[in-house]
């Protein structure tokens, strides 16, 4: 799209995206990037693609921020809120996997269907007992922000989430908790912090801390399009989850 040398193709794509049936089935690049390796084999990064990859995966400064979605319409925010609220108990339980000991990760790097929130994690905490309540509170603030805007709810959210951040054995703060054993922090060539597991070889940019922040990041990174919602609402929800992370 947006290629002046192909005006007819541009008009065709614009017209196609005006059709609700197409937009309801359209995936986003982030979902494609993480889904295709499970079908076609692992991908291999090249230095020339690092900037684009960082933008797609929300690692580039501002790429998954509220400013990046500030021009979206109310309908997109409301769709994101609806999808978050409509099945909220299951969404909270799913996000709580970020505080659980990993189950048996599959070839798909973001899939961990056997993570058990009812079993103790590395610190002997049972996520279902210590984190579901604070996590639910956090996601309720995200829903309010989606419906009413962050300006109308940020003060109350900041007060509640700063308190929520001290739950779960003191490791509730977003990214401020103790790293799980086996994980160490490193910097990539762009100066961004990432984490590498010395035994499994896994890497992640979300701090593996088993705290509230890890749960919010777990949910954010696993929003699939169009499985969970359409492209624009997904971008809006990811940005609002990052907003909540900044308040923790």
């Amino acid at each position: 799209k947006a290629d002046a040398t192909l005006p007819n193709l541009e008009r065709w794509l614009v017209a196609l995206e005006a059709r609700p049936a197409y937009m309801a089935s359209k995936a986003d690049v982030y979902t494609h990037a993480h889904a295709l390796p499970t079908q076609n084999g692992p991908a291999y990064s090249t230095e020339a693609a690092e900037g684009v990859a960082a933008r797609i995966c929300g690692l580039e400064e501002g790429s998954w921020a509220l400013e990046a979605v500030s021009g979206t319409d109310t309908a997109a925010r409301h769709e994101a809120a609806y999808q978050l609220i409509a099945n909220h108990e299951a969404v909270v339980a799913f996000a709580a996997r970020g505080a659980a000991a990993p189950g048996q990760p599959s070839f798909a790097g973001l899939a961990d269907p056997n993570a058990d929130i009812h079993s103790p994690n590395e610190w002997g905490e049972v996520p279902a007992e210590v984190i579901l309540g604070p996590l639910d509170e956090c996601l309720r603030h995200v829903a309010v922000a989606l419906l009413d805007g962050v300006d109308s709810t940020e003060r109350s959210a900041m007060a509640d989430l700063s308190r929520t951040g001290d739950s779960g054995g003191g490791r509730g703060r977003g990214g401020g908790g103790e790293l799980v054993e086996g994980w160490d922090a490193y910097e990539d060539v762009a100066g961004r912090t990432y984490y590498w597991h010395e035994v499994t070889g896994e890497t992640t940019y979300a701090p593996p801390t088993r705290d509230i922040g890890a749960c919010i990041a777990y949910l954010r990174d696993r929003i699939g399009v169009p499985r969970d919602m359409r492209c624009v609402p997904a971008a809006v929800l990811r940005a609002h989850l990052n907003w909540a992370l900044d308040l923790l």
Side-chain angles (χ1 to χ4, degrees):
K1 288 183 60 179
D3 188 341
T5 64
L6 300 169
N8 293 331
L9 182 59
E10 169 75 8
R11 285 195 295 272
W12 180 76
L13 287 171
V14 169
L16 187 61
E17 291 189 347
R19 299 180 66 88
Y22 171 72
M23 292 305 294
S25 62
K26 179 184 177 183
D28 65 359
V29 181
Y30 176 78
T31 303
H32 274 307
H34 288 280
L36 288 178
T38 67
Q39 304 167 36
N40 301 335
Y44 298 93
S45 179
T46 64
E47 186 174 345
E50 286 178 356
V52 175
R55 196 173 310 121
I56 290 171
C57 294
L59 301 176
E60 183 180 79
E61 185 72 25
S63 58
W64 281 5
L66 290 177
E67 293 77 10
V69 297
S70 60
T72 55
D73 59 20
T74 302
R77 289 192 290 107
H78 286 185
E79 180 178 335
Y82 175 81
Q83 297 295 355
L84 183 61
I85 295 168
N87 197 23
H88 72 279
E89 290 185 1
V91 172
V92 172
F94 177 80
R97 290 181 178 182
Q104 186 177 357
S106 69
F107 179 66
L110 294 177
D112 191 12
N114 298 311
D116 185 4
I117 66 172
H118 299 284
S119 297
N121 59 23
E122 289 87 341
W123 290 289
E125 297 172 343
V126 178
E129 296 176 356
V130 301
I131 215 161
L132 285 181
L135 182 56
D136 179 70
E137 183 178 27
C138 182
L139 292 177
R140 286 171 187 262
H141 279 292
V142 172
V144 172
L146 286 164
L147 293 171
D148 298 335
V150 295
D151 291 340
S152 65
T153 190
E154 188 161 77
R155 180 173 296 181
S156 61
M158 189 176 298
D160 286 345
L161 296 185
S162 62
R163 173 174 50 79
T164 294
D166 292 326
S167 65
R171 287 187 292 279
R173 300 191 65 80
E178 178 185 349
L179 292 180
V180 174
E181 184 177 355
W183 289 92
D184 292 296
Y186 299 89
E187 281 194 359
D188 66 14
V189 294
R192 296 181 295 259
T193 301
Y194 73 95
Y195 304 88
W196 178 74
H197 195 284
E198 61 184 12
V199 176
T200 66
E202 295 174 86
T203 60
T204 178
Y205 280 85
T209 56
R210 308 285 187 250
D211 60 11
I212 292 287
C215 293
I216 297 299
Y218 186 96
L219 176 62
R220 177 201 63 199
D221 294 346
R222 288 162 177 79
I223 298 170
V225 178
R227 180 195 63 191
D228 301 319
M229 60 194 71
R230 295 181 298 164
C231 295
V232 177
V236 170
L237 180 53
R238 291 176 187 133
H240 280 74
L241 290 171
N242 274 339
W243 165 79
L245 276 171
D246 289 340
L247 298 182
L248 286 170

